[in-house]
Amino acid sequence: MSDVVEKTLTALPSLLSLDPQPGSAKLSSTSKLGNLIRGITELTSKHEEEKLIQHELASIKDQVSSPNTSMRQMKELMVRAIYCESLGYEASFTYIHAIKLAQQGTALEKRVGYLAVSLFLNESHELLLLLVNTVLKDLQSTNLIEVCMALTVVSQMFPKDMIPAILPLVEEKLNHPKEIIRRKAVLALYKFYLIAPNQVQHIHNKFRKALCDKDPGVMTASLHIYLQMIQENPEGYKDLTASFVTILKQVVGGKLPMDFNYHSVPAPWLQIQLLRILALLGKNDQSASAVMYEVLDESLRRAEMNHNITYAILYECVKCIYTIHPKSDLLEKAAKCIGNFVLSPKINLKYLGLKALTYVVQQDPRLALQHQMTIIECLDHSDLIIKRETLELLFRITNAQNVVVIVEKMLEFLRVNTDDYTTIDLVGKVAELAEKYPSDTMSTVFSVGGDMMQPDIPNSFLKLLSEGFDSVEEDRKLRLFAVDSYITLLQKEPGKLPQRFLQVISWVLGEYSHLKDELEPTVVLKLLAKLLDMKHTSSETKSWILMAMTKLCEGGAEVSVVREVSETYSSSMDTVLRQRAHELQYLSQDSELRAKVLLRDNGLRPLEVDSSLSFLDGFVSEALAAGAAPYKPPHQRQEELAQAKALSLEPYGLSLPMSMSSCSITDRQSPTLLSMSSGLSGDSAEISHKGGSTSLKLDGVKRVWGREGYLPQRAAVEEAAQVEVPCTLRSPSQQGDADSSHSQTPTSTPTPTEPDPEKQQLASLFFGLSSQSSVCLMGKPEPTPHRFRRKAKGVTDPTSSSLISTPSNVEKLLCNNLLDSNIASELAVSSAKQITELPQGLKTASSDIKQNNPSLIVDNGIVAAADEDPDRPKDLCLISHLPAELSELCHSEITPLCTIQSILCAVNSCQYRGDGIFPVAWGGPSGSSVLIQTPFNHLHQVTHVSAELKKSTQCLSFAHSDVTFPCRPLTVSTEEYGTMWLSFSHDTKQNLTLIGDGQEALTATLNVLKQKLQLHVVEIIGQEGILSCRLLQDQPCLMHCRVHAGTLAVWLRSPVPDLPDCLIYHCQRALQEY
Amino acid sequence: MIKAILIFNNHGKPRLIRFYQYFAEDMQQQIIRETFHLVSKRDDNVCNFLEGGSLIGGSDYKLIYRHYATLYFVFCVDSSESELGILDLIQVFVETLDKCFENVCELDLIFHMDKVHYILQEVVMGGMVLETNMNEIVAQVEVQNRMEKSEVSVQCQPVAELISG
């Protein structure tokens, strides 16, 4: 009773406060909101504000849930709730009322309701489903404003799955007589296109209609869509080039109504949009570009420098001119324009000018030379953003001559910079330069960049140091230099150095301090011991230090130091440290063992990794004979335990990969260390034997996917178990770079110590620009100067071949594929020979040849032999077989696949043409070669070229249809599938055609997919089926399909971004072919 | 696309917050704080662009802002928007506010937050620039205001009766 009275009392004032000025459009300061705001402004502390808002929210909560509150009051309450939310206080209890308001209120209340909904909720909020009906109703309303509101809320957020429900209504609005409605409908459709592209595929011609709309506003709106679509697929819209040019011509010519003018510039935003579209269309397309020249010229001419917005147009114009196929007189004008930007006193224009220069400088380095004076000035500009942009520009024009000055400038900036993001970015750039042009700057980078830099920077630096350069003597010098300077650093004040740097220092000292004869190991050990005692040293760093000490102690005088340290840490709480301490203890006592484990000067010995851990076989069989239980992988143990409802032992399972990876940090390739790690994991030979097919034996277990609470944890353990095998095996080849043989020449380019006079600096900055401007010194694919060239390396086997990641994702996938070589059915042919003429970054391209007719291969004893002895004279004769059209181009090593009588089949792993690299396979009787090439740049053809040998016809046929998708079945259980499904982020949905009909259609279709694409059918439940496959060990893709209305609704998920799309394409093709 | 529009005053008090990409509530507040921190320490004679804040996401994103008396108008956009174009769009937006509120000041934005949102909805819709013509925007807003008035006059009646009764 009492609370009813209380409610009425609290409701009363709100009624009264509204009543004196019923529905007044303005919320005056006497309203409740006004009171609230005034209350808040009077407060002094955050705490008080919180109290007041909580109080306010409580009263709002009371009122919204009271049945007596009218819609009008609700509207006012909603505004207050919005206010509270915007201050960062959650008012989730009002969400449902916001939806109600949008549903039931009059137009005015609806507006507040919709606003609140669009501010409170997000696309995936479950309450949003309640709004669908309201939107449907409002879209059909005769009240224009209601239609507008519905369209607005739809474009702000709408549940993806409900789009089909309202799509027809929104489409219908494209024909609405009111232009504002048409315009909003276009944008709403664009939003749909963004969130669910495959749902609006069928209305592309309606977009075209919108583009041709008589109202320029609607046309402008449709440009959003076209910009997006052309960005994704420029080839598909080339036919529209002329139309866009015509539109731009009309706009520039002032054919639009005066309403569209802004500061007497005709529709500037429209022009910007059009110029961007033209740039995309004209890129690398001479004929399309030719159409544009005239209008671009006109735009440049018309845009007189009088207002901000004309600069915006000019800037887009210039960018467009430099993007499309070049035309000299336009380039000249554009260059002049850039000059105006850079020289402008207006700082915004200067910024854009620098940006334009950065963009342009790759094509025309002379431009930077013209403006060198301004650039130098900008380096000392008071605005950090301008400075940064200048450094970005300088980064692009760095070459061997000016690198020292530029790096120095960057470091200078790093010292004053406080923004984390910029630091990370810039440190990365400096490191990149330092790697390209080795010098001693890395010390500074490490101390300035601190612990914020990307972890791969120190790694790659150490790699550089250990792999060394072309000359042994220079290697020595550089390493000595590093040892010297680090010793000096440690003797000063090591406390201030970042952890990452300390790790680098300890590694270098452990590895190379013996190079310096007069340096006593004791001195180094003492310095390192001092580091161990420092408070700030993290345990990760400590383990690095202990490892360094292990390498250093050789018995003798240093033993006492070592003993002390190892005693301290052998009782450490940290297991890794304890492990290290014990290693140190034993190895320091047993010099024989130590010599075996830690080989010195093994720099050039190639890595040999026994991936199956066969050296343990004896041990294992002995143990088994002695009655030991056979090894079970951790996840299996886990599973059994879980079934037995025993205690979970997860922590142990999880710690495995951790300790292993830290084991492998010891970069010496010690069999002992490896066996230690394998000892931890038990007999990993068994795992690797089973290869990828290691899986749970869960066939009998049927559960709904991933509903149990413990599932995720278990899956994590399983995953760890799966990962750990390649981890142990590969890490030596990745980390133990001491042994691989990349090399570089060290140049001890000293950083100038005395301050350069302005002119000298200026000269050095731009040195080499004018003389060598013709070639790609400025460009990204910069050929490294010869003396830094890495040594070509004999490829020993696919796993250790230096597959350097190539720029495109696709190629990476392909390269990685080779690493995953434990699939026996494949004849992997890899060659990663460096082609000196090619830019270094592109040096790898490999193709994986899969023979469709394995028996044939065996019969003929065909092996990809070229890899084993690269110097075989046969190469020469292979070249002579190269088809005439290819023989003049650069190419990589030719790998013969097989010979059958006089027929030769060979694969030439990459063929370089002006515009890219292709893997090429060719064959046939000498002279009459059949040729196939697969461009890398298309994901759908990433793929293994599969060569089919047709003995009967005595010739080789290669055809594009033979290109298959390189996926492999991934055997998982339904439960694992469920967990994986939830954890993957990239997905695609599409409908596929069913094969056959009736009950069997699903099974038939899935069988086709299984055969053609090697998908693994996990389970079929009624009208739904789940499948899985993988591209690599850790690149799975899951498929869920359901028979729906005569089609197969497919939903793919994967952690790899492009994989679902790629797979769906191949599924489509497979079904079509069938 | 425009990812977010933030208006806050010289002390960092948010006055209008509109995200076009979903962020959790606490993340939103963090973004506002960081943006304010970045923008407020810049002088008036430096450029109006800021790059690569770590919160809204990487090098592709820019903050484009203008400072009017007590208020900062910040647009967070990706690379598909023209920098100077957005800068002028802010100007258009502010001029529109000025026209609708007759000499707009911070207080108008506080007390009529909902109205500011409605005006913004006519300029930017779901992260896309909808209209850049000030007269057109004002016309749209006025249509809505008229509706408001007519509705109010209908509703006035019963409430008045209620009081008298």
Side-chain angles (χ1 to χ4, degrees):
Chain A
M1 183 67 196
S2 67
D3 58 66
V4 174
V5 174
E6 203 177 299
K7 258 184 201 163
T8 330
L9 284 177
T10 44
L12 214 54
S14 74
L15 269 174
L16 292 175
S17 74
L18 275 174
D19 288 341
Q21 28 165 316
S24 141
K26 301 218 166 196
L27 277 167
S28 83
S29 50
T30 52
S31 72
K32 288 276 280 199
L33 176 66
N35 284 333
L36 171 64
I37 293 166
R38 213 156 338 106
I40 287 174
T41 38
E42 279 162 11
L43 296 177
T44 45
S45 76
K46 182 81 190 164
H47 180 67
E48 282 177 66
E49 179 189 295
E50 207 174 309
K51 238 168 62 186
L52 187 82
I53 299 271
Q54 290 309 344
H55 180 78
E56 179 74 19
L57 284 177
S59 95
I60 295 178
K61 191 171 188 173
D62 255 6
Q63 290 178 54
V64 286
S65 44
S66 135
N68 298 328
T69 316
S70 73
M71 278 295 158
R72 259 166 48 68
Q73 287 164 328
M74 196 66 101
K75 187 182 104 185
E76 196 269 336
L77 286 169
M78 212 45 79
V79 175
R80 269 155 64 195
I82 293 176
Y83 184 78
C84 294
E85 278 255 335
S86 81
L87 288 177
Y89 298 89
E90 196 182 306
S92 50
F93 59 87
T94 54
Y95 296 174
I96 184 70
H97 297 282
I99 289 181
K100 248 201 256 165
L101 195 62
Q103 253 163 17
Q104 298 163 358
T106 58
L108 203 56
E109 289 144 16
K110 236 181 216 318
R111 189 167 68 154
V112 180
Y114 273 134
L115 176 66
V117 167
S118 73
L119 287 172
F120 292 160
L121 303 184
N122 64 57
E123 263 149 33
S124 48
H125 201 287
E126 50 191 0
L127 281 180
L128 215 52
L129 288 177
L130 297 176
L131 198 71
V132 174
N133 256 330
T134 320
V135 169
L136 265 178
K137 204 178 74 197
D138 285 337
L139 280 176
Q140 287 159 309
S141 159
T142 47
N143 187 342
L144 290 185
I145 292 173
E146 284 182 350
V147 179
C148 275
M149 285 190 292
L151 286 172
T152 307
V153 85
V154 156
S155 73
Q156 174 72 22
M157 45 158 198
F158 200 72
K160 206 168 162 184
D161 303 333
M162 296 310 287
I163 289 177
I166 59 161
L167 191 58
L169 281 174
V170 178
E171 272 175 62
E172 201 177 277
K173 294 289 176 280
L174 287 176
N175 300 322
H176 201 274
K178 269 291 204 194
E179 117 353 77
I180 183 77
I181 304 265
R182 292 205 300 274
R183 192 192 290 194
K184 289 193 172 179
V186 168
L187 285 187
L189 286 177
Y190 173 55
K191 188 73 182 193
F192 293 166
Y193 177 78
L194 284 183
I195 54 178
N198 41 18
Q199 305 216 4
V200 288
Q201 259 163 5
H202 61 286
I203 50 170
H204 276 201
N205 48 357
K206 297 215 168 158
F207 291 154
R208 292 211 175 204
K209 211 178 136 214
L211 184 66
C212 306
D213 199 284
K214 59 182 184 295
D215 185 274
V218 182
M219 187 263 289
T220 313
S222 73
L223 290 185
H224 284 290
I225 300 176
Y226 277 101
L227 186 62
Q228 179 72 27
M229 293 195 299
I230 293 173
Q231 211 155 21
E232 285 162 11
N233 172 25
E235 294 308 315
Y237 299 91
K238 293 283 183 195
D239 56 319
L240 285 174
T241 314
S243 323
F244 288 124
V245 169
T246 320
I247 298 173
L248 184 57
K249 232 177 236 170
Q250 286 172 352
V251 176
V252 174
K255 300 271 162 52
L256 288 185
M258 286 296 276
D259 289 353
F260 287 88
N261 285 10
Y262 175 77
H263 288 268
S264 67
V265 181
W269 285 278
L270 177 55
Q271 290 194 42
I272 291 169
Q273 201 78 318
L274 283 168
L275 285 167
R276 283 183 172 231
I277 289 177
L278 289 185
L280 289 174
L281 285 172
K283 193 174 188 182
N284 300 327
D285 183 342
Q286 190 167 3
S287 59
S289 304
V291 189
M292 304 169 192
Y293 292 144
E294 191 191 331
V295 72
L296 288 176
D297 193 35
E298 175 86 4
S299 295
L300 274 184
R301 204 166 47 79
R302 290 258 181 169
E304 296 135 28
M305 300 264 194
N306 58 3
H307 187 268
N308 212 1
I309 201 72
T310 52
Y311 293 114
I313 298 173
L314 275 179
Y315 177 68
E316 292 304 328
C317 228
V318 167
K319 266 185 93 167
C320 179
I321 288 171
Y322 271 97
T323 312
I324 63 173
H325 191 86
K327 184 169 187 252
S328 59
D329 63 323
L330 274 182
L331 286 181
E332 217 167 275
K333 282 180 193 168
K336 216 192 230 159
C337 243
I338 294 180
N340 286 336
F341 273 98
V342 176
L343 294 173
S344 163
K346 288 184 187 167
I347 195 142
N348 285 341
L349 300 188
K350 206 182 256 311
Y351 169 83
L352 287 181
L354 286 171
K355 261 196 124 51
L357 262 186
T358 316
Y359 184 75
V360 158
V361 92
Q362 289 163 28
Q363 296 166 38
D364 188 5
R366 277 166 307 155
L367 220 51
L369 206 62
Q370 273 173 28
H371 299 294
Q372 46 179 303
M373 219 35 230
T374 327
I375 295 172
I376 300 274
E377 273 168 27
C378 288
L379 263 185
D380 295 322
H381 203 279
S382 56
D383 188 353
L384 280 185
I385 299 289
I386 298 270
K387 251 189 185 170
R388 222 194 85 80
E389 203 52 49
T390 319
L391 287 177
E392 180 81 41
L393 170 62
L394 289 179
F395 173 70
R396 300 279 171 101
I397 60 167
T398 310
N399 56 35
Q401 284 92 3
N402 60 19
V403 62
V404 176
V405 188
I406 289 179
V407 166
E408 202 193 344
K409 283 280 169 198
M410 285 180 161
L411 292 176
E412 209 172 274
F413 180 84
L414 273 177
R415 282 189 197 105
V416 294
N417 180 54
T418 50
D419 175 23
D420 290 359
Y421 179 81
T422 324
T423 309
I424 293 169
D425 183 53
L426 213 55
V427 165
K429 284 187 172 138
V430 178
E432 195 183 324
L433 289 179
E435 199 172 327
K436 258 196 233 163
Y437 313 99
S439 66
D440 57 347
T441 42
M442 282 315 277
S443 301
T444 333
V445 175
F446 285 128
S447 28
V448 173
D451 291 329
M452 228 147 39
M453 64 173 84
Q454 311 282 358
D456 57 329
I457 295 174
N459 286 346
S460 61
F461 171 67
L462 292 184
K463 194 166 172 218
L464 187 83
L465 206 59
S466 62
E467 283 167 5
F469 309 99
D470 277 333
S471 120
V472 180
E473 188 43 40
E474 304 229 14
D475 275 359
R476 220 181 112 78
K477 260 194 219 158
L478 185 72
R479 288 169 189 164
L480 266 180
F481 176 77
V483 171
D484 269 345
S485 48
Y486 292 160
I487 290 278
T488 329
L489 270 174
L490 287 189
Q491 278 162 347
K492 273 189 226 154
E493 249 188 299
K496 285 181 182 161
L497 299 174
Q499 300 297 324
R500 288 254 167 79
F501 192 26
L502 289 179
Q503 291 163 13
V504 169
I505 290 178
S506 46
W507 189 87
V508 169
L509 290 183
E511 202 74 9
Y512 297 120
S513 63
H514 66 90
L515 292 176
K516 201 169 159 69
D517 297 330
E518 66 274 20
L519 190 67
E520 284 293 321
T522 328
V523 180
V524 185
L525 278 175
K526 276 190 180 144
L527 281 173
L528 289 175
K530 208 169 82 188
L531 283 184
L532 277 178
D533 293 338
M534 284 191 321
K535 259 193 214 141
H536 307 291
T537 318
S538 69
S539 57
E540 194 192 344
T541 314
K542 278 182 185 163
S543 79
W544 282 74
I545 297 172
L546 284 176
M547 281 191 295
M549 293 175 107
T550 316
K551 289 175 208 160
L552 280 171
C553 61
E554 281 172 326
E558 56 266 25
V559 169
S560 63
V561 186
V562 168
R563 190 175 301 141
E564 198 180 309
V565 167
S566 58
E567 267 164 22
T568 321
Y569 286 97
S570 54
S571 57
S572 161
M573 290 296 279
D574 189 322
T575 44
V576 179
L577 280 183
R578 204 145 75 190
Q579 161 92 8
R580 297 274 164 263
H582 281 298
E583 280 169 31
L584 175 61
Q585 201 171 1
Y586 289 120
L587 293 179
S588 66
Q589 281 160 12
D590 188 345
S591 59
E592 227 171 85
L593 179 63
R594 193 180 158 281
K596 243 201 255 169
V597 172
L598 300 170
L599 297 169
R600 192 159 275 175
D601 298 327
N602 57 350
L604 292 172
R605 196 170 55 89
L607 246 187
E608 274 167 34
V609 179
D610 184 358
S611 59
S612 62
L613 300 180
S614 59
F615 55 87
L616 286 173
D617 285 352
F619 174 76
V620 171
S621 51
E622 239 171 67
L624 283 176
Y631 172 73
K632 284 174 190 157
H635 56 87
Q636 199 179 335
R637 272 178 279 160
Q638 208 68 44
E639 184 61 27
E640 282 168 10
L641 282 171
Q643 277 170 357
K645 301 232 155 87
L647 275 177
S648 161
L649 291 172
E650 263 149 29
Y652 298 105
L654 283 173
S655 70
L656 272 179
M658 257 171 59
S659 59
M660 303 239 305
S661 60
S662 50
C663 277
S664 55
I665 292 175
T666 344
D667 30 69
R668 305 276 192 171
Q669 282 64 55
S670 63
T672 339
L673 281 186
L674 264 182
S675 64
M676 266 181 227
S677 53
S678 58
L680 279 171
S681 70
D683 181 11
S684 18
E686 193 183 307
I687 304 183
S688 67
H689 243 268
K690 285 184 191 166
S693 65
T694 324
S695 72
L696 290 179
K697 292 180 181 104
L698 281 174
D699 296 351
V701 188
K702 279 193 188 177
R703 285 206 183 107
V704 191
W705 309 336
R707 207 169 274 175
E708 290 85 352
Y710 63 88
L711 252 183
Q713 299 154 3
R714 214 170 50 199
V717 178
E718 283 156 16
E719 253 170 351
Q722 274 201 344
V723 171
E724 74 195 22
V725 178
C727 166
T728 359
L729 302 185
R730 276 187 213 156
S731 51
S733 70
Q734 284 160 358
Q735 304 223 6
D737 17 53
D739 294 49
S740 42
S741 53
H742 293 269
S743 41
Q744 286 193 329
T745 322
T747 41
S748 43
T749 25
T751 324
T753 41
E754 74 281 340
D756 278 337
E758 180 87 335
K759 271 186 189 168
Q760 192 185 332
Q761 183 192 47
L762 195 152
S764 51
L765 262 179
F766 295 92
F767 195 76
L769 284 193
S770 50
S771 55
Q772 290 156 314
S773 56
S774 58
V775 239
C776 39
L777 252 180
M778 322 292 294
K780 270 186 293 180
E782 185 160 2
T784 22
H786 285 296
R787 51 199 176 124
F788 304 130
R789 213 183 60 223
R790 300 196 169 198
K791 252 189 228 159
K793 163 178 160 186
V795 181
T796 47
D797 66 27
T799 7
S800 72
S801 65
S802 62
L803 292 170
I804 288 160
S805 62
T806 34
S808 91
N809 206 4
V810 173
E811 281 156 79
K812 227 187 278 169
L813 281 177
L814 192 69
C815 292
N816 288 343
N817 240 345
L818 284 174
L819 290 171
D820 188 17
S821 64
N822 51 356
I823 306 290
S825 70
E826 282 179 16
L827 171 62
V829 180
S830 90
S831 90
K833 257 286 206 218
Q834 181 184 353
I835 308 165
T836 39
E837 292 91 338
L838 292 182
Q840 197 175 5
L842 297 173
K843 81 176 178 193
T844 307
S846 316
S847 45
D848 199 350
I849 310 294
K850 189 166 139 195
Q851 209 74 31
N852 283 349
N853 194 347
S855 64
L856 194 65
I857 307 170
V858 178
D859 290 344
N860 288 297
I862 301 150
V863 190
D867 282 338
E868 277 134 41
D869 45 349
D871 300 317
R872 268 187 337 161
K874 204 172 176 194
D875 263 14
L876 281 175
C877 72
L878 281 176
I879 290 172
S880 66
H881 286 292
L882 201 64
E885 62 266 46
L886 297 175
S887 55
E888 282 166 16
L889 302 163
C890 322
H891 62 83
S892 64
E893 189 180 350
I894 295 169
T895 311
L897 276 180
C898 53
T899 43
I900 303 160
Q901 293 159 18
S902 63
I903 305 164
L904 175 79
C905 165
V907 164
N908 184 353
S909 65
C910 61
Q911 188 80 30
Y912 181 64
R913 298 201 155 183
D915 46 351
I917 289 187
F918 309 93
V920 172
W922 47 271
S926 52
S928 63
S929 311
V930 190
L931 162 78
I932 170 177
Q933 25 182 301
T934 316
F936 265 136
N937 49 13
H938 220 250
L939 186 61
H940 304 318
Q941 294 167 356
V942 177
T943 61
H944 304 198
V945 181
S946 55
E948 203 179 327
L949 284 167
K950 286 184 184 159
K951 218 173 177 183
S952 55
T953 50
Q954 295 272 308
C955 78
L956 285 160
S957 76
F958 294 92
H960 268 285
S961 60
D962 291 334
V963 175
T964 57
F965 189 66
C967 69
R968 297 167 190 140
L970 171 67
T971 325
V972 292
S973 70
T974 310
E975 280 181 328
E976 288 172 296
Y977 181 96
T979 336
M980 284 159 85
W981 181 265
L982 293 177
S983 61
F984 293 168
S985 48
H986 300 277
D987 67 341
T988 304
K989 286 184 192 174
Q990 196 150 358
N991 288 341
L992 297 179
T993 45
L994 274 171
I995 288 172
D997 46 42
Q999 287 297 317
E1000 297 308 308
L1002 179 67
T1003 327
T1005 317
L1006 295 190
N1007 275 339
V1008 171
L1009 291 179
K1010 187 180 168 184
Q1011 278 164 14
K1012 292 235 173 186
L1013 293 170
Q1014 306 196 347
L1015 304 182
H1016 170 69
V1017 180
V1018 181
E1019 197 172 358
I1020 298 179
I1021 311 163
Q1023 289 299 295
E1024 294 181 41
I1026 51 177
L1027 293 87
S1028 61
C1029 73
R1030 67 190 173 91
L1031 203 55
L1032 280 179
Q1033 189 72 23
D1034 48 356
Q1035 296 183 332
C1037 187
L1038 302 180
M1039 182 194 254
H1040 169 246
C1041 36
R1042 192 163 58 92
V1043 179
H1044 177 70
T1047 57
L1048 190 65
V1050 177
W1051 191 1
L1052 285 164
R1053 277 199 179 182
S1054 166
V1056 188
D1058 294 325
L1059 191 52
D1061 287 323
C1062 188
L1063 190 60
I1064 199 100
Y1065 170 83
H1066 283 279
C1067 288
Q1068 261 172 347
R1069 257 189 33 178
L1071 292 178
Q1072 270 166 16
E1073 277 167 22
Y1074 187 82
Chain B
M1 223 175 100
I2 300 171
K3 297 287 165 185
I5 294 174
L6 315 173
I7 304 177
F8 40 72
N9 72 2
N10 290 348
H11 305 291
K13 275 255 173 259
R15 291 307 177 211
L16 179 130
I17 304 300
R18 177 100 235 195
F19 282 90
Y20 294 101
Q21 184 186 342
Y22 172 67
F23 291 100
E25 180 70 26
D26 47 343
M27 189 64 182
Q28 288 188 8
Q29 293 301 321
Q30 209 180 328
I31 290 175
I32 296 168
R33 272 198 303 276
E34 191 189 273
T35 311
F36 171 69
H37 181 69
L38 282 174
V39 165
S40 62
K41 67 179 180 202
R42 292 177 62 77
D43 295 338
D44 277 346
N45 60 349
V46 295
C47 70
N48 297 51
F49 314 115
L50 273 169
E51 265 179 61
S54 43
L55 278 179
I56 290 198
S59 53
D60 195 32
Y61 294 93
K62 284 190 204 72
L63 297 176
I64 297 169
Y65 73 96
R66 270 177 184 269
H67 188 195
Y68 294 92
T70 60
L71 290 175
Y72 284 100
F73 287 71
V74 186
F75 279 45
C76 176
V77 302
D78 67 8
S79 60
S80 71
E81 300 288 341
S82 142
E83 292 91 345
L84 287 176
I86 293 292
L87 206 56
D88 266 61
L89 188 70
I90 301 180
Q91 181 68 23
V92 168
F93 178 47
V94 174
E95 278 178 34
T96 313
L97 287 179
D98 196 52
K99 220 170 193 175
C100 294
F101 288 110
E102 289 152 17
N103 277 330
V104 68
C105 67
E106 193 181 338
L107 281 179
D108 291 315
L109 264 69
I110 304 172
F111 285 106
H112 306 288
M113 201 175 45
D114 48 337
K115 280 187 145 183
V116 180
H117 271 293
Y118 301 137
I119 296 170
L120 185 61
Q121 271 176 4
E122 298 304 320
V123 183
V124 177
M125 180 170 143
M128 279 90 62
V129 180
L130 174 69
E131 177 63 77
T132 51
N133 182 350
M134 187 164 57
N135 296 330
E136 197 67 29
I137 302 167
V138 174
Q140 281 302 323
V141 174
E142 262 164 14
V143 171
Q144 294 181 16
N145 288 348
R146 269 205 299 282
M147 164 187 88
E148 198 162 351
K149 273 178 195 130
S150 65
E151 201 165 294
V152 163
S153 59
V154 174
Q155 281 191 350
C156 256
Q157 210 71 31
V159 177
E161 276 166 20
L162 191 87
I163 298 169
S164 59

